[in-house]
Amino acid sequence: MAKKENTDKSTWLSKSQSFNSSDTQLYVRGVPFTVDRDLLAAKSAKVSAIILENPKSDISHSLRDIPGDPAAFELLARFCHGYAMKISTENVIPLIVLACYFEMTENHSENNLVKGALTFFEQKIIPSWNETIKALSTSEHVLQQAVHLGLMDSCIQSIVEKALIDPRYLGEPVKNLDFDSENSEEEDFRPNARRRLFDNDWKLEDLTRLSPQLYEPIINSMNQNGVPSKYVAAAASLCEYEKKWVLSGDDMSIYARNSRRDIIEAVERLLPNDKGLFPCTLLFQKLRAAIGLKASLECMTGFEQRIGKQLEFATVKDLLIPSQGYAKEVQYDIECLKRIMKNFYGNYSSSDSSGLITVAELMEDLLIEISSDIDLKISTFTSLADLALSVAHGINLNSDGIYRAIDIYLDKHRFLTETEKEEVCRVLDCQKTSAEACGHAAKNERLPLRVVVQILFAAQLQLRDEFKREAIDSRDVFRNSEIDEEEEAKMEMEKTSVKVMELEEECRLMKKEIDNSRYEDDKNSSIVTISKKKKKKKKNGGMWRKIKRKLGCMTTNLQDYQYQVIKKNKF
């Protein structure tokens, strides 16, 4: 056994020159340790039971699966041999695992190691965010045993409780400029000053230092316990986690690639499906990483679905997804773009068509961007053009963008034959080109003659339709003006008739008043009126006699004259 006076680590790792009868040699992860089995049995119920069952047996045969690391076992051996030992954040979990393995409980010996280590764990580790994360980061090699003992659950519960009280333990959410208006509520948040969360002299431990085996269950627990998703999934820690474990490093070994693939798949599982938590550019970055690492279909589909929900905020650079494979017959992953477009249209529920127009224009800009690539094949160009046309279907969008892309492609690929040029121009809808595009095409020598004729013919049809529309519009305007004049005349006539009726009513009232006044006057002068009538009758008789005399009818009275006139009229 090594000398007790020497406290250096090497004394416990080296073999003793002379063995006592009670000394035994144990191996921890290939490292030899010489310990006194009697002293070990005094603290360990497990070792004591082995010796009690077979006093002369070699206990090393029964202790071949010692968990933990050599540093933790050295502390345990020092404790058993009566040396001073220091429990710290970095060694407390491995030490608890070892103590539980050797059954160093209070039932076997007072003030044993299990009690001391658990007390330190409960008083120093659990109450602190930083100490909990530090302790977890050093427990990866005993993770299975720590989970079995419930140490992991205690640490995870502690972290989740602190995140529920103050979500900014997880870091600031990623700024998404496309959704700033929706996240304006963050400005009203004020962290608890007592935590000194943002003091310059106090550094907050980040979850990114944890391995995927520890990181994923913590994030899942936060999602299950209601920690705001914008802090759980959209916190900067998740982006940094991917950057640290997936995107960094040049190790391209099979083991490294498999490890990165597992991590990117775990990151995808941790992302919620909420729209706008991540900028679209970051989601495309994760998708490219998943494609490059040949992640599972579920992983890539998950990223594609999240991108499809906010595709209107993507850029042309985001859509440039290179094709994978050895042959690379197609430079860009068109099938992936088709799936993203399908997810976009399947999730688009707004009544506003501005998002649809934005995506259609985005596809045209993508086609224009890649058309200058000298290595771009005709099949790739036409496939992307067909996709752009399908996106623009049902939207009042002209084909000027497609025409511009065709013109650039023909300019950069002057070696094409006439047949190949016609194949490229097949995707152009001549009926949707504007007048400016038609004018440019008529003078474009790069276009096949047949395509130029089709464009000019379509331009004539558009001009004819325009004339028809103008004629119909002018006729409708004239008809509307006539209708307006008739309506105005009717209104004037109605106004006039109303005025006439009012005047007639006034005249009727005036006539009635006049008749009443005449009746009173006639009643008062009835005698005078009668005498005047008699005189008038005499005067009238003298007048008739004069007429008869002139006509030679003096002997005929007035009644006879009237009779003769009537008889004459009958004949």
Side-chain angles (χ1 to χ4, degrees):
M1 177 178 150
K3 295 182 179 180
K4 295 183 179 181
E5 292 81 2
N6 192 350
T7 60
D8 186 75
K9 181 178 178 180
S10 60
T11 60
W12 298 101
L13 299 179
S14 61
K15 296 181 180 180
S16 177
Q17 298 294 330
S18 59
F19 289 92
N20 295 327
S21 60
S22 61
D23 288 346
T24 187
Q25 194 172 56
L26 301 178
Y27 288 86
V28 181
R29 300 180 66 179
V31 179
F33 285 87
T34 303
V35 295
D36 190 319
R37 71 173 190 170
D38 294 336
L39 295 178
L40 184 61
K43 294 294 184 180
S44 170
K46 184 173 184 176
V47 174
S48 178
I50 294 173
I51 296 176
L52 184 61
E53 182 179 357
N54 190 358
K56 297 182 179 180
S57 65
D58 187 359
I59 63 173
S60 63
H61 296 296
S62 301
L63 300 175
R64 293 179 178 178
D65 56 344
I66 299 176
D69 55 7
F73 186 80
E74 181 184 1
L75 292 176
L76 183 143
R78 292 175 66 86
F79 176 79
C80 293
H81 286 76
Y83 288 96
M85 57 168 293
K86 183 179 180 181
I87 302 177
S88 64
T89 301
E90 289 75 12
N91 61 36
V92 62
I93 292 181
L95 199 58
I96 292 174
V97 170
L98 274 175
C100 290
Y101 173 80
F102 282 99
E103 300 177 8
M104 303 173 72
T105 62
E106 295 299 305
N107 293 332
H108 184 70
S109 175
E110 293 183 358
N111 298 323
N112 216 336
L113 186 57
V114 170
K115 180 181 177 180
L118 284 176
T119 300
F120 183 90
F121 179 78
E122 293 172 355
Q123 294 180 356
K124 300 295 184 180
I125 303 300
I126 295 301
S128 172
W129 171 277
N130 280 4
E131 300 304 314
T132 303
I133 295 178
K134 288 179 181 178
L136 284 175
S137 64
T138 59
S139 62
E140 296 176 7
H141 54 281
V142 291
L143 182 60
Q144 185 177 358
Q145 293 82 1
V147 171
H148 177 72
L149 295 173
L151 300 177
M152 292 297 102
D153 290 340
S154 298
C155 292
I156 292 174
Q157 183 179 358
S158 173
I159 292 174
V160 172
E161 289 176 353
K162 293 176 178 59
L164 284 171
I165 296 173
D166 192 345
R168 296 200 178 190
Y169 272 109
L170 301 172
E172 293 290 339
V174 174
K175 292 184 179 181
N176 191 349
L177 299 179
D178 301 325
F179 293 88
D180 273 349
S181 59
E182 299 178 5
N183 298 332
S184 59
E185 297 178 357
E186 297 176 10
E187 299 177 359
D188 299 331
F189 182 87
R190 294 293 182 271
N192 191 339
R194 290 178 298 176
R195 288 188 173 82
R196 299 185 301 143
L197 201 56
F198 302 104
D199 288 355
N200 293 329
D201 58 346
W202 190 78
K203 183 179 179 181
L204 185 67
E205 289 293 333
D206 198 349
L207 292 175
T208 57
R209 66 182 296 175
L210 301 178
S211 65
Q213 292 80 8
L214 294 169
Y215 187 80
E216 185 173 2
I218 292 175
I219 299 300
N220 284 331
S221 181
M222 288 185 180
N223 288 329
Q224 294 171 2
N225 286 276
V227 179
S229 58
K230 64 182 179 180
Y231 288 99
V232 176
S237 62
L238 191 55
C239 296
E240 291 297 324
Y241 192 82
E242 180 193 9
K243 182 178 179 181
K244 176 180 179 180
W245 293 88
V246 178
L247 303 179
S248 62
D250 298 329
D251 187 1
M252 299 304 294
S253 64
I254 297 177
Y255 174 79
R257 287 181 61 86
N258 292 340
S259 177
R260 292 175 185 175
R261 182 177 63 244
D262 294 339
I263 294 173
I264 195 65
E265 291 176 356
V267 169
E268 188 278 326
R269 289 192 298 268
L270 295 174
L271 289 179
N273 293 319
D274 300 342
K275 178 181 179 180
L277 289 179
F278 275 102
C280 204
T281 300
L282 283 179
L283 292 175
F284 271 104
Q285 181 181 359
K286 299 177 189 303
L287 177 60
R288 289 192 188 92
I291 295 174
L293 294 171
K294 297 182 180 180
S296 63
L297 180 62
E298 292 78 7
C299 176
M300 291 186 288
T301 302
F303 286 127
E304 290 171 0
Q305 290 176 349
R306 291 174 178 87
I307 292 172
K309 292 181 179 180
Q310 56 188 64
L311 185 60
E312 62 269 30
F313 301 108
T315 63
V316 172
K317 187 177 179 181
D318 295 335
L319 299 179
L320 295 174
I321 303 175
S323 178
Q324 300 295 320
Y326 296 102
K328 289 189 178 182
E329 297 178 356
V330 181
Q331 291 94 322
Y332 301 98
D333 197 336
I334 301 174
E335 294 300 322
C336 179
L337 290 179
K338 288 182 179 179
R339 292 192 297 268
I340 293 175
M341 294 296 170
K342 183 178 179 180
N343 288 315
F344 170 73
Y345 284 104
N347 290 281
Y348 194 84
S349 58
S350 176
S351 58
D352 187 8
S353 61
S354 58
L356 301 175
I357 297 175
T358 301
V359 173
E361 293 176 347
L362 179 65
M363 289 303 301
E364 289 186 352
D365 293 339
L366 171 65
L367 194 63
I368 294 172
E369 177 70 20
I370 67 173
S371 59
S372 59
D373 186 0
I374 192 65
D375 297 324
L376 184 65
K377 298 181 180 180
I378 297 177
S379 58
T380 304
F381 179 84
T382 55
S383 298
L384 287 173
D386 288 333
L387 183 59
L389 290 175
S390 63
V391 171
H393 182 70
I395 302 176
N396 189 16
L397 189 68
N398 59 38
S399 299
D400 290 3
I402 302 293
Y403 170 74
R404 183 183 175 189
I406 291 173
D407 184 44
I408 296 175
Y409 186 83
L410 295 178
D411 182 49
K412 298 297 181 179
H413 301 77
R414 296 179 178 270
F415 54 84
L416 298 179
T417 63
E418 195 74 9
T419 304
E420 291 174 336
K421 290 182 179 179
E422 291 180 357
E423 176 65 18
V424 172
C425 297
R426 174 186 59 81
V427 297
L428 179 62
D429 189 353
C430 301
Q431 296 181 355
K432 289 187 177 182
T433 52
S434 65
E436 293 78 6
C438 290
H440 184 274
K443 303 176 183 178
N444 194 345
E445 297 180 353
R446 291 184 288 271
L447 294 176
L449 181 59
R450 182 182 300 178
V451 176
V452 174
V453 173
Q454 291 176 355
I455 293 176
L456 293 177
F457 180 72
Q460 290 182 354
L461 294 179
Q462 292 177 2
L463 188 61
R464 185 193 65 181
D465 294 340
E466 184 67 24
F467 286 155
K468 286 183 178 180
R469 284 194 295 269
E470 291 180 357
I472 293 174
D473 292 341
S474 61
R475 185 178 62 186
D476 291 340
V477 170
F478 179 73
R479 183 180 299 171
N480 293 333
S481 63
E482 289 183 345
I483 293 173
D484 293 339
E485 290 178 357
E486 291 179 359
E487 293 292 335
E488 186 176 356
K490 288 181 179 180
M491 292 177 63
E492 292 295 331
M493 291 178 65
E494 290 178 357
K495 292 179 181 180
T496 304
S497 62
V498 172
K499 290 182 179 180
V500 170
M501 292 176 66
E502 292 176 354
L503 291 174
E504 288 179 350
E505 181 66 20
E506 292 178 0
C507 291
R508 188 182 65 80
L509 295 175
M510 292 175 63
K511 183 178 180 182
K512 185 176 181 181
E513 291 178 358
I514 292 171
D515 291 341
N516 291 335
S517 62
R518 282 181 179 178
Y519 176 75
E520 294 294 333
D521 293 339
D522 291 344
K523 187 176 180 181
N524 294 328
S525 59
S526 59
I527 299 172
V528 178
T529 303
I530 292 171
S531 63
K532 286 182 178 181
K533 285 183 179 179
K534 288 181 179 179
K535 291 180 181 179
K536 187 175 181 181
K537 188 180 287 187
K538 289 180 181 179
K539 290 181 180 179
N540 289 337
M543 183 180 65
W544 279 109
R545 281 194 293 271
K546 290 180 181 180
I547 292 172
K548 289 178 183 180
R549 190 179 294 115
K550 288 182 180 180
L551 296 173
C553 301
M554 288 297 295
T555 59
T556 309
N557 56 20
L558 182 59
Q559 288 79 7
D560 296 336
Y561 175 75
Q562 291 176 348
Y563 175 76
Q564 293 175 359
V565 172
I566 292 171
K567 186 176 181 181
K568 186 176 180 181
N569 288 335
K570 287 182 179 181
F571 292 99

